[in-house]
Amino acid sequence: MTTVLAPLTRPVSALLAKLRIDPFIAAILCTVGVASLLPASGATATGFGIASNIAVGVLFFLYGARLSSKEALDGLRHWRLHVTVLSATFVLFPLLGLAASFLSPGLLTSPLYTGVLFLCLLPSTVQSSIAFTSIAKGNVAAAICSASVSNLLGIVLTPLLVALLLSTDGPGVSGSAVLDIVLQLLVPFVAGQLARRWIGGWVSRHSAPLKLVDRGSILLVVYTAFSEGMTEGIWHKLDLGPLFVLLGVCVVLLAAVLTATSVGARLLGFDRADRITIVFCGSKKSLASGLPMATVLFGHGQVGLIVLPLMLFHQIQLIVCAAMARRYARHAAASDEDTDEQGELVPAG
C-alpha cells in the first residue's frame, strides 16, 4: 500500500516544501475543511467531545514522559539567557497582546481578539525552536533547556494569565475551567513525569509513532472544535475584513518580538550563539500546547475562532524563522571561511 501511495504523496510533499507550508498545518486545514463539510452533531459530537478530552490528557501525559526535568534544571545555570527568553514569552508578548485591544471590537471581533491575546499567553515551541537554533549555529543546549522550561511553566502560567487578563463577560474562562485545567492538563503531565523513570526509554525509542499520536490528538481536537462551531453557526460571523486585519496583527506581532529580542539580546551583551537562541526561543508560540489548552479553557463551542490567530501565527513564524535560520547559517559559514583564510596566512612553525 505504501509503495502504491508513494508516487502520489511525493508531489504533495514536494509542493508543500516548495511553498514552505508546514505539512502539519496543511493537515489541520484539511481537518477544518472536513469539519466544515461533515461536522459531527448530536450523539456523534458528544462522542467526539469525550474522545477529544481523553486525547488532551494523553497528549500532556506524553509531554510529561518526554521532558527530562533533570536536563531542564541543569540548564538553568545559564539563568540570564533563560530569564530573557521567559520575559519575552510571558511579559513582552502579553503586553503586546493587551496593546492590541484598541482593535476590538471595531476591527477585530471579540473572539478573534481573545484569540490574539490567548496566543500571546502561550509558551514557546520546543521542536522548531531547537531546530532553527541548530540550523543557525546557535546555543542548542540552551535552546533545549529554555524551550523545555517555557513549556513546563506554561502549563501553569498560561491558564493563570488567561484567567487574569481575559474578561469573563466575553469568551473567557469559566469557574469550572480551573478544575478542568488541573484534571486534563496538570494531572496527566505530573503522571507522565512520575512514570518517566519506567517508560522514558520506551518513549524515546518510539518517538516517531508517538509523534503520530501527538498530531492525531491535536487533529481530533481541531475536528471536534470546528464541528461544534459549524453546528452553532459561528463561522457566519467571520468576515474577510477582520481576517485581513488578523493577518496584519500576526505579522506585526512577530516582527515586533523578533526586533525586541534581537536588539535586547545585543544590548544585554550576549554572544552570537546566545543571541540566536534568544531570538528563536523568545519569538515563537506553541501550536501543540495551544490547541488543547484552548479546548480546556474555552470549551469546544467557542474555541474555533479563538484558535485562528494561533494557527495563522504559527505558519507565519515557521516561514519567517526558517528564512532567518538559513541567513544566520550563511553568515556563520562566511565567518568560518574568513577565520580559515586568516589562519592560512600564519606561517607554519
Side-chain angles (χ1 to χ4, degrees):
M1 184 70 174
T2 305
T3 306
V4 174
L5 291 177
L8 299 176
T9 56
R10 282 196 203 102
V12 176
S13 301
L15 178 61
L16 292 176
K18 186 175 181 180
L19 296 175
R20 295 177 184 171
I21 297 175
D22 181 4
F24 186 41
I25 290 290
I28 290 177
L29 293 176
C30 288
T31 303
V32 171
V34 172
S36 301
L37 296 174
L38 300 170
S41 59
T44 304
T46 302
F48 270 104
I50 295 172
S52 178
N53 291 337
I54 294 173
V56 170
V58 171
L59 196 63
F60 278 82
F61 176 82
L62 291 175
Y63 287 164
R66 286 195 190 99
L67 179 62
S68 171
S69 300
K70 184 178 182 302
E71 290 178 4
L73 293 174
D74 287 345
L76 288 177
R77 287 174 295 186
H78 203 351
W79 63 271
R80 287 182 65 245
L81 182 147
H82 303 313
V83 168
T84 304
V85 170
L86 292 175
S87 297
T89 302
F90 294 114
V91 179
L92 176 60
F93 258 112
L95 289 175
L96 291 173
L98 290 172
S101 61
F102 75 92
L103 297 173
S104 178
L107 296 175
L108 284 178
T109 63
S110 179
L112 288 181
Y113 172 67
T114 298
V116 170
L117 187 52
F118 173 67
L119 152 71
C120 292
L121 305 181
L122 288 171
S124 177
T125 61
V126 177
Q127 292 91 343
S128 60
S129 293
I130 297 168
F132 288 141
T133 300
S134 177
I135 292 169
K137 312 299 182 186
N139 188 338
V140 176
I144 293 171
C145 173
S146 202
S148 299
V149 170
S150 176
N151 273 256
L152 183 62
L153 292 176
I155 293 175
V156 176
L157 284 181
T158 295
L160 289 177
L161 288 171
V162 167
L164 179 65
L165 299 179
L166 283 174
S167 172
T168 55
D169 56 359
V173 182
S174 64
S176 63
V178 176
L179 181 61
D180 290 338
I181 291 163
V182 173
L183 294 178
Q184 292 189 51
L185 304 184
L186 196 56
V187 169
F189 181 85
V190 172
Q193 283 278 285
L194 295 175
R196 179 177 168 77
R197 60 181 299 184
W198 297 288
I199 67 172
W202 182 85
V203 168
S204 298
R205 291 192 300 271
H206 296 83
S207 58
L210 287 177
K211 189 175 182 180
L212 295 177
V213 175
D214 281 2
R215 299 195 166 191
S217 299
I218 293 172
L219 292 177
L220 177 59
V221 168
V222 170
Y223 176 77
T224 304
F226 278 76
S227 287
E228 188 157 347
M230 284 298 297
T231 57
E232 294 187 6
I234 64 172
W235 300 111
H236 298 297
K237 304 173 185 177
L238 181 62
D239 297 323
L240 285 178
L243 197 57
F244 283 117
V245 172
L246 177 61
L247 176 62
V249 168
C250 290
V251 170
V252 171
L253 185 62
L254 180 59
V257 176
L258 286 172
T259 302
T261 51
S262 178
V263 173
R266 189 177 296 275
L267 292 176
L268 290 171
F270 288 100
D271 62 26
R272 180 185 181 279
D274 287 347
R275 291 200 303 269
I276 289 171
T277 302
I278 291 168
V279 167
F280 286 122
C281 291
S283 64
K284 287 194 290 305
K285 292 295 183 177
S286 174
L287 181 74
S289 298
L291 286 176
M293 276 189 182
T295 301
V296 175
L297 292 168
F298 302 104
H300 296 295
Q302 303 179 78
V303 77
L305 287 176
I306 290 174
V307 299
L308 269 184
L310 174 59
M311 292 168 61
L312 191 58
F313 184 86
H314 184 82
Q315 181 58 40
I316 295 170
Q317 75 182 7
L318 289 179
I319 294 172
V320 172
C321 290
M324 290 180 62
R326 287 192 292 269
R327 188 186 66 184
Y328 276 124
R330 287 195 300 270
H331 288 173
S335 298
D336 291 341
E337 289 176 4
D338 291 342
T339 302
D340 292 342
E341 289 175 2
Q342 292 172 8
E344 289 172 1
L345 295 176
V346 178

